[in-house]
Amino acid sequence: MGGGRREAALELRTASKIGLASLSAAVAETATFPIDILKTRLQLCGESSRPPSRTPPLASAAGNSLRVAAEIWRKGGVLGFYSGLSPAVLRHLFYTPIRIVSYEHLRVAAAPDGSLLGKALAGGVSGVIAQVTPEIPFSLITIDSCAYDNDMTAR
């Protein structure tokens, strides 16, 4: 009977880790998404299409960032900075819990003695597992949403 209680407690702990990991990932993605959309739009605008200027690179990047941010604001207001948030949050609702829970289980198997090498191996393998499941398709959807929402097209 004691074994059943332990299994139930382990399942509850795993479920709570999944829930908390998903919630924290969604909050973090929402908080940082405006920066990500700005970065994505800057990458898609392509600096290579512009003629070289005498403006120092740092000042040029800041000016371009402000120009793109102003365009996002003009076309969508505050909500313009959150275009494409849904697939980004969905990506993390799967990716982060898979990575964390698989790491926990692999760490116990790969490093029962707590060795750094075993923990590093568990971390790498759990990252690969999480990366190949939902990460790639959701990332492509997110980038597409960031690039083309609010009539902003890549230039």
Side-chain angles (χ1 to χ4, degrees):
M1 283 199 168
R5 285 185 187 167
R6 273 191 226 135
E7 285 180 20
L10 181 61
E11 286 178 16
L12 181 62
R13 258 187 37 215
T14 301
S16 66
K17 282 182 185 179
I18 289 171
L20 290 173
S22 296
L23 179 64
S24 64
V27 169
E29 184 66 31
T30 303
T32 60
F33 196 74
I35 297 167
D36 194 36
I37 195 168
L38 188 60
K39 174 199 64 121
T40 301
R41 298 251 176 108
L42 283 167
Q43 288 172 336
L44 291 173
C45 284
E47 291 300 316
S48 62
S49 63
R50 298 183 150 223
S53 69
R54 298 213 180 259
T55 310
L58 188 57
S60 177
N64 289 337
S65 298
L66 291 175
R67 181 183 55 78
V68 171
E71 191 171 343
I72 293 169
W73 179 268
R74 185 177 58 79
K75 292 193 176 191
V78 173
L79 295 179
F81 287 97
Y82 290 95
S83 302
L85 179 64
S86 300
V89 169
L90 280 173
R91 170 184 64 200
H92 281 289
L93 289 179
F94 291 100
Y95 171 76
T96 302
I98 289 170
R99 188 184 51 175
I100 289 174
V101 172
S102 63
Y103 171 74
E104 292 286 326
H105 291 287
L106 289 170
R107 183 188 64 188
V108 170
D113 58 348
S115 72
L116 183 60
L117 181 61
K119 289 178 181 179
L121 179 65
V125 171
S126 67
V128 168
I129 291 169
Q131 190 72 30
V132 297
T133 48
E135 175 69 12
I136 295 170
F138 281 119
S139 290
L140 294 174
I141 293 168
T142 301
I143 290 169
D144 190 50
S145 297
C146 288
Y148 300 108
D149 278 357
N150 294 327
D151 294 324
M152 297 252 327
T153 56
R155 295 185 251 289

